[in-house]
Amino acid sequence: MGEGLDWIRRQKPAPQYTIVHDPDTEIVKSAHEIGGINVRDADLRGLVILEQQRVGPTPEVGDDKLRNLELRSGFAASVVSAGDLLVGVTNRVDVLAPGLTPGAGVLEKLHLKELDQKSGWMTFELPDGADREKIYEELQAHPDIKSFDPELIFWKSTVQRLPERGNLRSSIEDIFAAISFSDALKAQLRYDENVRVAVVDGGIDHRNVLFQDTPIEYFDSFRSNQPNPPRRTIVNPHGTRCAGILAAVAPALGLCSGVHLVDCHSVHSTTGAPDELAYSTHMWRTFEWLLEQPGVRVVNISLSMPPHARVTQALEQLARNGGGGQGVVICAASGNSGGGVAYPARIEEIILAVGGCDLTGAPIVPASGLGWANGQGSALDLLAPAIAVPTADLSTNLPHSSGWTHFDRTSCATPIVSSVAAMCFATNPSLDADSVRRILRMTAGDGSTGEIRQWSDERGFGSVHAARAIEAASQSRIV
């Protein structure tokens, strides 16, 4: 009960910073800055956290800016910082209580904002001046409340500070060899609207010419109640780079060129800064929408967030019941901290947690000296190449005239595994998600020899092996 709330409480933080609250100062046109991350006033409205706290290793974002932060949204506020992830709690709360009416018991104290009859979740807003901790305790103690979590708001810098690597660049041929794929295999695969891949991120720059032959459907979780909302301007390249690995044409990797993409714009890229802001609300809203899209067979999540009960439930239902009842293969990044596997990748069994490796299949660990390392442990499933992989870039941010760049880290490895999952469905559309997850795990192996090894904390089941996975899919009904 209360995954996100429990996670924040478990951080055992020590107060370190002072928040300056100045409600009389008019907000200027420029954005507030939180640790170097630009956040507009509209995004801060309703942010009511208990106290400013600091935990974990020093984040890459600027402590000096965090120390001098001014919030003028009309609320006292604070942020829990774990690594480079800044987490806040808004004054909204999601409650799962199928047997209760909104006006019963402790729920009577709250303002109902949304009731989802299908899922049983209710979204409330705490009244001004409410004792938030006392209300949380009452919710937790109520026998008819199955789960609840406050709405989380989180910021994460996605600027990659990469080490000098000389002329090291992975070519398309390098990646094909590392995952045992080939142009001949690629030419055999055909994708239609019944094998779609969703990219849950900050948006795909569909204007890039490398996507000109790629069908891209659009879903905006921030405007999910609007039919056919206009596409947002993409200022963060992260989602575009993930999509380029999946479906762009050369010189991007484009393992599944021609596959139908679903661009799930679920993370807000703040204007003027290559950083990401998101709410738990927009994440579960995305996954619940995807549950209703029968042609979506694979979902790529190259991001991490604090755990949240409704997000977990939405992911479990999507993995088991999405894809028209055959389930959905969800691939998520294991994280780059070198610690445990990040959320949501660490939800075992239903999600494939993906780590990065070099071209020989060696996992990226702290001793690799790259400035980042995979999340490791019991939830880790697969590895894929994650160093200098060629992919698409923003149309307005092109280091190469042809619209491509190089991409790193577990965010880069994840769409490689998502691509191989899509290949399995293209080979044999009758397979369900459980079968494809099992195929990917059991056909993985040592990156240099292809030998199948026992699972380990650092390697999971090993490096994804496209040729073996495609062959297994072609010969399988239910594996």
Side-chain angles (χ1 to χ4, degrees):
M1 189 180 298
E3 289 184 74
L5 186 62
D6 289 345
W7 181 87
I8 290 175
R9 286 170 170 167
R10 283 198 305 270
Q11 301 307 303
K12 299 179 180 178
Q16 183 171 336
Y17 301 125
T18 300
I19 293 295
V20 178
H21 176 54
D22 185 4
D24 299 324
T25 305
E26 184 178 355
I27 299 169
V28 295
K29 294 180 181 178
S30 61
H32 296 293
E33 288 194 352
I34 296 184
I37 301 177
N38 294 327
V39 182
R40 298 177 302 179
D41 179 55
D43 296 321
L44 291 171
R45 200 166 295 136
L47 184 61
V48 284
I49 305 174
L50 303 178
E51 58 181 329
Q52 174 61 39
Q53 297 172 326
R54 171 79 174 84
V55 299
T58 301
E60 294 179 351
V61 295
D63 280 354
D64 56 333
K65 294 178 181 177
L66 185 59
R67 196 172 291 115
N68 297 320
L69 171 65
E70 292 185 0
L71 295 181
R72 298 160 182 161
S73 59
F75 296 96
S78 73
V79 175
V80 169
S81 172
D84 62 350
L85 184 67
L86 305 177
V87 184
V89 181
T90 77
N91 60 349
R92 293 165 69 95
V93 60
D94 293 309
V95 179
L96 179 61
L100 289 182
T101 62
V106 61
L107 302 183
E108 191 175 11
K109 303 177 183 179
L110 311 177
H111 302 312
L112 180 68
K113 306 301 290 185
E114 185 179 344
L115 172 60
D116 189 329
Q117 298 281 5
K118 185 179 296 185
S119 69
W121 284 92
M122 296 177 278
T123 300
F124 295 92
E125 194 170 84
L126 275 65
D128 293 342
D131 185 333
R132 300 166 67 252
E133 284 296 315
K134 184 176 180 181
I135 287 177
Y136 293 157
E137 289 172 3
E138 290 184 54
L139 291 171
Q140 193 151 0
H142 200 293
D144 295 321
I145 293 178
K146 292 186 175 181
S147 190
F148 79 94
D149 252 330
E151 181 184 50
L152 303 178
I153 177 172
F154 51 100
W155 301 265
K156 184 175 179 63
S157 174
T158 56
V159 177
Q160 294 188 358
R161 294 165 175 81
L162 300 174
E164 291 295 328
R165 54 188 175 215
N167 295 320
L168 174 62
R169 296 289 185 272
S170 300
S171 67
I172 292 176
E173 292 76 14
D174 292 333
I175 305 301
F176 276 26
I179 66 171
S180 300
F181 193 48
S182 66
D183 286 322
L185 276 175
K186 185 175 182 180
Q188 295 173 16
L189 298 168
R190 295 290 182 269
Y191 304 91
D192 60 27
E193 60 184 10
N194 295 314
V195 181
R196 290 183 287 162
V197 180
V199 179
V200 179
D201 216 288
I204 300 170
D205 185 0
H206 66 287
R207 299 170 301 174
N208 189 309
V209 295
L210 302 184
F211 292 113
Q212 64 184 359
D213 297 324
T214 303
I216 303 179
E217 183 180 347
Y218 184 61
F219 173 74
D220 187 341
S221 67
F222 292 83
R223 295 179 289 188
S224 58
N225 60 342
Q226 297 181 23
N228 302 314
R231 291 179 182 268
R232 294 175 181 266
T233 300
I234 307 301
V235 298
N236 188 314
H238 193 265
T240 301
R241 293 174 181 176
C242 292
I245 288 172
L246 277 154
V249 297
L253 182 59
L255 289 168
C256 298
S257 299
V259 75
H260 292 233
L261 294 182
V262 182
D263 175 9
C264 294
H265 200 144
S266 309
V267 177
H268 174 54
S269 301
T270 53
T271 304
D275 303 293
E276 296 181 336
L277 173 150
Y279 294 82
S280 54
T281 296
H282 300 293
M283 302 308 293
W284 59 251
R285 189 171 287 160
T286 297
F287 300 133
E288 290 180 2
W289 179 82
L290 287 170
L291 179 63
E292 305 298 325
Q293 313 307 309
V296 173
R297 306 303 309 277
V298 181
V299 173
N300 188 90
I301 309 175
S302 288
L303 55 83
S304 62
M305 63 173 286
H308 190 273
R310 187 164 183 179
V311 172
T312 298
Q313 185 188 70
L315 284 166
E316 289 173 345
Q317 291 179 344
L318 177 62
R320 295 190 173 105
N321 305 318
Q326 291 184 295
V328 170
V329 174
I330 304 173
C331 303
S334 69
N336 304 308
S337 69
V341 173
Y343 179 90
R346 69 167 176 255
I347 303 175
E348 297 191 43
E349 301 301 327
I350 65 163
I351 291 184
L352 293 173
V354 182
C357 63
D358 64 17
L359 293 175
T360 70
I364 308 302
V365 296
S368 301
L370 294 178
W372 64 276
N374 298 329
Q376 303 175 21
S378 62
L380 183 63
D381 287 292
L382 297 163
L383 302 178
I387 301 175
V389 175
T391 189
D393 203 10
L394 294 183
S395 302
T396 55
N397 181 32
L398 304 181
H400 303 277
S401 59
S402 54
W404 66 286
T405 187
H406 288 90
F407 195 26
D408 297 75
R409 305 192 180 200
T410 58
S411 287
C412 159
T414 304
I416 293 177
V417 175
S418 295
S419 296
V420 181
M423 294 174 195
C424 291
F425 284 123
T427 300
N428 187 349
S430 68
L431 291 175
D432 62 16
D434 279 340
S435 297
V436 173
R437 280 190 288 268
R438 199 172 299 125
I439 285 171
L440 292 174
R441 287 168 174 147
M442 301 312 294
T443 58
D446 184 281
S448 57
T449 66
E451 179 185 355
I452 295 177
R453 294 183 173 183
Q454 288 188 327
W455 178 93
S456 72
D457 278 350
E458 288 189 351
R459 295 176 178 270
F461 291 95
S463 298
V464 68
H465 196 291
R468 275 202 298 251
I470 292 170
E471 181 181 7
S474 70
Q475 298 176 355
S476 302
R477 292 184 178 178
I478 298 295
V479 178

